[in-house]
Amino acid sequence: MSEWTPDISRLREFDDEEWLRVERAFCGRLMAYVSRRVADAQAREDIVQEAFLGAVRGIDSFDPVYTFEQYLFGICRNRAIDHLRRRNAVGAGQPVDSSESLPGMDDLAVEEDTPSQVVHGTDLADQGHELLVGVLREWVQETWQQGEFKRLCVIEALFALGRRNRDVWEGFGLRDETAVAGIKFRALKRMRELALRRDSTGQLLGAMADATGDAQTRLDLDVARAWREGRVSCPARYWLARRDAGTLEEGPRSFVAFHLEETACSLCQANLDDLGQAREGDLDPLIERMRASTVQYLRSRAHGSADGA
Ligand SMILES: [Zn+2]
């Protein structure tokens, strides 16, 4: 059971069928994301529509170290911030609408570490960061397959939440804080092995360590940033679906619960909201409008290139 992901090369060729599949597959979760942040129903639809158009326009700069879903959510988040900024600018002093329970723009801007633009980096530091994201994702997968969910929770607590060893051990039923230090030590050791496999010359890892005299501290910081920005621990959507259906066994359930409740991951929350909705064609009119605007844009591009313009 794996989730459909689009063929990026087809998207880059502006293949309209593939883009329409994308819109159909991702519309619901983007809508769920925006719904938690923007009160105005019409504005929500505009934001989602703009996000898809932005995704089409920017697809050449998509960095495959991130998932396509992260790319879409990153653009959607920026459109939502733009909207809230405009609304704040014109609406100052006016009575607030029903959005009082929604987070304001400032909350949205700081609520997560997702890079505002998920674009391909060029310098050595960017490449090192990308390497780390890939390594961490691999480590998460490996640990998940080994059924080591407590280890996964501990590392998530340290890297995603920035908790300290002494704040973590009791909550996970560990002996003491040296047990946490041991888990972290072994995890970093394994991550380094995985990194060397991808970077056999050691050039990128070396560049990262050189940036400061204290290589260990530096690596810790880089790992924590890559963990958060890469969203390396987000469970695939079908795990969320199984959680929703109550069919998840204890191990993965404990990690998914920790991830959702402790890190308050907005991307997973949007997927969960979307899964919980009985979608009975309620998004069809929006999808149809997006189809029209996407096709129009794709045609204008095809026309432009045919003219050599
Ligand atoms: Zn997540």
Short mmCIF file of all heavy atoms in Angstrom, two decimals, residues 57-88:
data_model
loop_
_atom_site.label_atom_id
_atom_site.label_comp_id
_atom_site.label_asym_id
_atom_site.label_seq_id
_atom_site.Cartn_x
_atom_site.Cartn_y
_atom_site.Cartn_z
N ARG A 57 4.13 26.94 -11.96
CA ARG A 57 5.15 27.91 -12.41
C ARG A 57 6.53 27.59 -11.87
O ARG A 57 7.53 27.80 -12.53
CB ARG A 57 4.77 29.31 -11.92
CG ARG A 57 3.58 29.89 -12.63
CD ARG A 57 3.61 31.42 -12.51
NE ARG A 57 2.53 32.00 -13.27
CZ ARG A 57 1.41 32.49 -12.72
NH1 ARG A 57 1.26 32.47 -11.41
NH2 ARG A 57 0.47 33.00 -13.48
N GLY A 58 6.58 27.09 -10.64
CA GLY A 58 7.88 26.92 -9.98
C GLY A 58 8.47 25.53 -10.07
O GLY A 58 9.48 25.25 -9.44
N ILE A 59 7.84 24.65 -10.83
CA ILE A 59 8.23 23.23 -10.76
C ILE A 59 9.69 23.00 -11.14
O ILE A 59 10.32 22.07 -10.64
CB ILE A 59 7.26 22.36 -11.62
CG1 ILE A 59 7.50 20.86 -11.35
CG2 ILE A 59 7.41 22.68 -13.11
CD1 ILE A 59 7.21 20.42 -9.94
N ASP A 60 10.27 23.86 -11.95
CA ASP A 60 11.68 23.67 -12.32
C ASP A 60 12.60 23.82 -11.12
O ASP A 60 13.70 23.27 -11.11
CB ASP A 60 12.09 24.66 -13.41
CG ASP A 60 11.73 24.11 -14.79
OD1 ASP A 60 11.64 22.87 -14.92
OD2 ASP A 60 11.53 24.91 -15.71
N SER A 61 12.17 24.59 -10.12
CA SER A 61 13.04 24.81 -8.97
C SER A 61 12.74 23.84 -7.83
O SER A 61 13.31 23.95 -6.76
CB SER A 61 12.92 26.26 -8.48
OG SER A 61 11.59 26.51 -8.10
N PHE A 62 11.82 22.91 -8.06
CA PHE A 62 11.50 21.92 -7.02
C PHE A 62 12.74 21.08 -6.69
O PHE A 62 13.40 20.57 -7.58
CB PHE A 62 10.36 21.02 -7.51
CG PHE A 62 10.18 19.77 -6.70
CD1 PHE A 62 9.79 19.85 -5.37
CD2 PHE A 62 10.39 18.52 -7.25
CE1 PHE A 62 9.63 18.70 -4.60
CE2 PHE A 62 10.23 17.36 -6.50
CZ PHE A 62 9.85 17.46 -5.18
N ASP A 63 13.01 20.97 -5.41
CA ASP A 63 14.18 20.21 -4.95
C ASP A 63 13.73 18.82 -4.50
O ASP A 63 13.03 18.69 -3.50
CB ASP A 63 14.82 20.96 -3.78
CG ASP A 63 16.04 20.24 -3.25
OD1 ASP A 63 16.27 19.07 -3.64
OD2 ASP A 63 16.77 20.85 -2.45
N PRO A 64 14.14 17.79 -5.21
CA PRO A 64 13.63 16.44 -4.90
C PRO A 64 14.09 15.88 -3.56
O PRO A 64 13.67 14.79 -3.20
CB PRO A 64 14.14 15.59 -6.07
CG PRO A 64 15.15 16.40 -6.78
CD PRO A 64 14.98 17.83 -6.41
N VAL A 65 14.92 16.61 -2.83
CA VAL A 65 15.24 16.11 -1.50
C VAL A 65 14.01 16.22 -0.60
O VAL A 65 13.84 15.48 0.35
CB VAL A 65 16.44 16.87 -0.87
CG1 VAL A 65 16.05 18.25 -0.41
CG2 VAL A 65 17.01 16.07 0.30
N TYR A 66 13.12 17.15 -0.92
CA TYR A 66 11.85 17.26 -0.21
C TYR A 66 10.80 16.45 -0.98
O TYR A 66 10.99 16.12 -2.14
CB TYR A 66 11.41 18.71 -0.09
CG TYR A 66 12.40 19.55 0.68
CD1 TYR A 66 13.25 20.43 0.04
CD2 TYR A 66 12.49 19.41 2.06
CE1 TYR A 66 14.19 21.16 0.76
CE2 TYR A 66 13.42 20.15 2.79
CZ TYR A 66 14.26 21.02 2.13
OH TYR A 66 15.19 21.73 2.84
N THR A 67 9.69 16.17 -0.29
CA THR A 67 8.64 15.46 -1.01
C THR A 67 7.83 16.48 -1.81
O THR A 67 7.83 17.68 -1.50
CB THR A 67 7.69 14.74 -0.04
OG1 THR A 67 7.02 15.72 0.76
CG2 THR A 67 8.46 13.78 0.86
N PHE A 68 7.14 15.97 -2.81
CA PHE A 68 6.30 16.87 -3.60
C PHE A 68 5.22 17.50 -2.71
O PHE A 68 4.86 18.66 -2.87
CB PHE A 68 5.65 16.09 -4.76
CG PHE A 68 4.81 16.96 -5.64
CD1 PHE A 68 5.39 17.83 -6.54
CD2 PHE A 68 3.43 16.93 -5.53
CE1 PHE A 68 4.61 18.66 -7.32
CE2 PHE A 68 2.64 17.76 -6.31
CZ PHE A 68 3.23 18.62 -7.22
N GLU A 69 4.73 16.71 -1.76
CA GLU A 69 3.72 17.24 -0.84
C GLU A 69 4.26 18.42 -0.03
O GLU A 69 3.58 19.43 0.15
CB GLU A 69 3.25 16.12 0.10
CG GLU A 69 2.12 16.56 1.02
CD GLU A 69 1.67 15.44 1.96
OE1 GLU A 69 2.54 14.79 2.56
OE2 GLU A 69 0.45 15.24 2.08
N GLN A 70 5.51 18.31 0.41
CA GLN A 70 6.12 19.42 1.14
C GLN A 70 6.22 20.66 0.26
O GLN A 70 6.03 21.78 0.72
CB GLN A 70 7.51 19.03 1.63
CG GLN A 70 7.49 18.03 2.76
CD GLN A 70 8.90 17.61 3.14
OE1 GLN A 70 9.71 17.28 2.29
NE2 GLN A 70 9.20 17.67 4.40
N TYR A 71 6.57 20.42 -0.98
CA TYR A 71 6.67 21.52 -1.94
C TYR A 71 5.33 22.26 -2.05
O TYR A 71 5.26 23.48 -1.94
CB TYR A 71 7.10 20.92 -3.29
CG TYR A 71 7.01 21.83 -4.49
CD1 TYR A 71 7.91 22.88 -4.66
CD2 TYR A 71 6.04 21.61 -5.48
CE1 TYR A 71 7.83 23.70 -5.79
CE2 TYR A 71 5.98 22.40 -6.60
CZ TYR A 71 6.87 23.45 -6.75
OH TYR A 71 6.79 24.25 -7.86
N LEU A 72 4.26 21.48 -2.21
CA LEU A 72 2.93 22.09 -2.32
C LEU A 72 2.53 22.84 -1.05
O LEU A 72 2.04 23.97 -1.09
CB LEU A 72 1.88 21.01 -2.59
CG LEU A 72 1.59 20.60 -4.01
CD1 LEU A 72 0.47 19.57 -4.02
CD2 LEU A 72 1.21 21.80 -4.87
N PHE A 73 2.76 22.20 0.09
CA PHE A 73 2.38 22.84 1.35
C PHE A 73 3.19 24.11 1.58
O PHE A 73 2.67 25.09 2.11
CB PHE A 73 2.56 21.87 2.53
CG PHE A 73 1.33 21.05 2.81
CD1 PHE A 73 1.17 19.80 2.26
CD2 PHE A 73 0.33 21.54 3.63
CE1 PHE A 73 0.04 19.03 2.50
CE2 PHE A 73 -0.81 20.79 3.89
CZ PHE A 73 -0.96 19.53 3.32
N GLY A 74 4.47 24.09 1.19
CA GLY A 74 5.30 25.28 1.36
C GLY A 74 4.74 26.47 0.57
O GLY A 74 4.65 27.59 1.09
N ILE A 75 4.32 26.22 -0.65
CA ILE A 75 3.76 27.29 -1.48
C ILE A 75 2.42 27.75 -0.91
O ILE A 75 2.13 28.95 -0.82
CB ILE A 75 3.60 26.81 -2.94
CG1 ILE A 75 4.96 26.49 -3.55
CG2 ILE A 75 2.88 27.87 -3.78
CD1 ILE A 75 4.89 25.82 -4.90
N CYS A 76 1.61 26.78 -0.49
CA CYS A 76 0.29 27.10 0.05
C CYS A 76 0.41 27.95 1.31
O CYS A 76 -0.34 28.92 1.51
CB CYS A 76 -0.45 25.80 0.34
SG CYS A 76 -2.17 26.03 0.74
N ARG A 77 1.38 27.62 2.13
CA ARG A 77 1.60 28.38 3.36
C ARG A 77 1.96 29.83 3.03
O ARG A 77 1.46 30.77 3.65
CB ARG A 77 2.72 27.71 4.15
CG ARG A 77 3.19 28.50 5.34
CD ARG A 77 4.16 27.65 6.16
NE ARG A 77 4.87 28.48 7.12
CZ ARG A 77 6.05 29.03 6.88
NH1 ARG A 77 6.63 28.85 5.71
NH2 ARG A 77 6.63 29.77 7.79
N ASN A 78 2.82 30.00 2.03
CA ASN A 78 3.20 31.37 1.63
C ASN A 78 2.00 32.16 1.11
O ASN A 78 1.85 33.34 1.41
CB ASN A 78 4.29 31.33 0.56
CG ASN A 78 5.64 30.95 1.14
OD1 ASN A 78 5.81 30.98 2.36
ND2 ASN A 78 6.56 30.57 0.29
N ARG A 79 1.14 31.49 0.34
CA ARG A 79 -0.05 32.19 -0.17
C ARG A 79 -0.97 32.57 0.99
O ARG A 79 -1.58 33.63 0.98
CB ARG A 79 -0.81 31.30 -1.17
CG ARG A 79 -0.09 30.99 -2.48
CD ARG A 79 0.04 32.21 -3.39
NE ARG A 79 1.24 32.98 -3.08
CZ ARG A 79 2.46 32.66 -3.51
NH1 ARG A 79 2.64 31.61 -4.28
NH2 ARG A 79 3.50 33.39 -3.17
N ALA A 80 -1.07 31.68 1.98
CA ALA A 80 -1.92 31.99 3.14
C ALA A 80 -1.35 33.18 3.91
O ALA A 80 -2.10 34.06 4.35
CB ALA A 80 -2.03 30.75 4.05
N ILE A 81 -0.04 33.22 4.06
CA ILE A 81 0.59 34.36 4.75
C ILE A 81 0.33 35.64 3.97
O ILE A 81 -0.03 36.67 4.55
CB ILE A 81 2.11 34.12 4.94
CG1 ILE A 81 2.33 33.00 5.97
CG2 ILE A 81 2.80 35.40 5.40
CD1 ILE A 81 3.78 32.59 6.13
N ASP A 82 0.49 35.59 2.64
CA ASP A 82 0.21 36.78 1.80
C ASP A 82 -1.21 37.28 2.04
O ASP A 82 -1.45 38.47 2.20
CB ASP A 82 0.36 36.44 0.31
CG ASP A 82 1.81 36.23 -0.08
OD1 ASP A 82 2.70 36.61 0.72
OD2 ASP A 82 2.06 35.69 -1.18
N HIS A 83 -2.14 36.34 2.06
CA HIS A 83 -3.54 36.71 2.25
C HIS A 83 -3.75 37.39 3.61
O HIS A 83 -4.38 38.44 3.70
CB HIS A 83 -4.44 35.48 2.14
CG HIS A 83 -5.81 35.71 2.69
ND1 HIS A 83 -6.79 36.39 2.00
CD2 HIS A 83 -6.35 35.39 3.89
CE1 HIS A 83 -7.87 36.46 2.75
NE2 HIS A 83 -7.65 35.87 3.90
N LEU A 84 -3.22 36.78 4.66
CA LEU A 84 -3.42 37.33 6.00
C LEU A 84 -2.75 38.69 6.14
O LEU A 84 -3.26 39.58 6.80
CB LEU A 84 -2.88 36.35 7.05
CG LEU A 84 -3.64 35.02 7.14
CD1 LEU A 84 -2.90 34.03 8.03
CD2 LEU A 84 -5.05 35.24 7.67
N ARG A 85 -1.63 38.85 5.46
CA ARG A 85 -0.92 40.13 5.50
C ARG A 85 -1.77 41.21 4.83
O ARG A 85 -1.93 42.31 5.35
CB ARG A 85 0.41 39.94 4.76
CG ARG A 85 1.45 40.97 5.11
CD ARG A 85 2.79 40.56 4.51
NE ARG A 85 3.51 39.64 5.38
CZ ARG A 85 4.42 38.75 4.96
NH1 ARG A 85 4.69 38.65 3.68
NH2 ARG A 85 5.05 37.98 5.81
N ARG A 86 -2.33 40.88 3.67
CA ARG A 86 -3.20 41.85 2.97
C ARG A 86 -4.42 42.18 3.81
O ARG A 86 -4.82 43.32 3.93
CB ARG A 86 -3.66 41.27 1.62
CG ARG A 86 -2.63 41.38 0.51
CD ARG A 86 -3.28 41.18 -0.87
NE ARG A 86 -4.03 39.92 -0.98
CZ ARG A 86 -3.47 38.77 -1.39
NH1 ARG A 86 -2.21 38.74 -1.74
NH2 ARG A 86 -4.19 37.68 -1.47
N ARG A 87 -5.01 41.15 4.39
CA ARG A 87 -6.21 41.37 5.19
C ARG A 87 -5.90 42.25 6.39
O ARG A 87 -6.65 43.15 6.74
CB ARG A 87 -6.76 40.02 5.67
CG ARG A 87 -8.16 40.12 6.24
CD ARG A 87 -8.47 38.94 7.12
NE ARG A 87 -7.55 38.88 8.26
CZ ARG A 87 -7.60 37.97 9.22
NH1 ARG A 87 -8.49 37.02 9.16
NH2 ARG A 87 -6.74 37.98 10.23
N ASN A 88 -4.76 42.01 7.02
CA ASN A 88 -4.38 42.84 8.16
C ASN A 88 -4.17 44.29 7.73
O ASN A 88 -4.49 45.21 8.46
CB ASN A 88 -3.09 42.32 8.80
CG ASN A 88 -3.35 41.08 9.64
OD1 ASN A 88 -4.48 40.59 9.70
ND2 ASN A 88 -2.32 40.56 10.28
#
